[in-house]
Amino acid sequence: MEIHGAGGPQGPQPIYPRLASFSVEASAASPAAAPRDQVEISQLGLVLDGIHRLPEIRHEKVEAIRQQIASGTYETPEKLERALDNLLSELSGF
């Protein structure tokens, strides 16, 4: 009994003989025909990215402000105007 390699007694053979003569160098000669990848980020993706870039929540400060709101000492016209200006400037960045 004789045992031959994967290609039989003739040796290894290409799986697709007509493609065996295809050369990578020949296809690289025409870069205009090569497809190009492109990435587009949606508006929602930009908003979510902005949310992920926000700083961490400072829970002590949030609790202090909650107590001020509950006692009625937090809301003043100046603070509300400043908060509104900050909010509008942040939203215009998206």
Side-chain angles (χ1 to χ4, degrees), residues 11-75:
Q13 300 293 315
I15 295 174
Y16 298 105
R18 68 171 193 246
L19 295 179
S21 63
F22 179 75
S23 170
V24 174
E25 291 80 23
S27 67
S30 60
R36 306 184 108 210
D37 291 338
Q38 184 175 352
V39 175
E40 293 182 22
I41 301 174
S42 69
Q43 190 66 27
L44 177 60
L46 294 173
V47 170
L48 292 174
D49 182 54
I51 290 171
H52 288 295
R53 293 175 188 259
L54 290 174
E56 292 295 318
I57 297 173
R58 296 180 286 176
H59 296 285
E60 314 82 42
K61 190 168 185 172
V62 170
E63 187 56 36
I65 292 172
R66 281 186 180 159
Q67 289 174 1
Q68 290 175 4
I69 291 171
S71 68
T73 60
Y74 181 76
E75 293 180 6

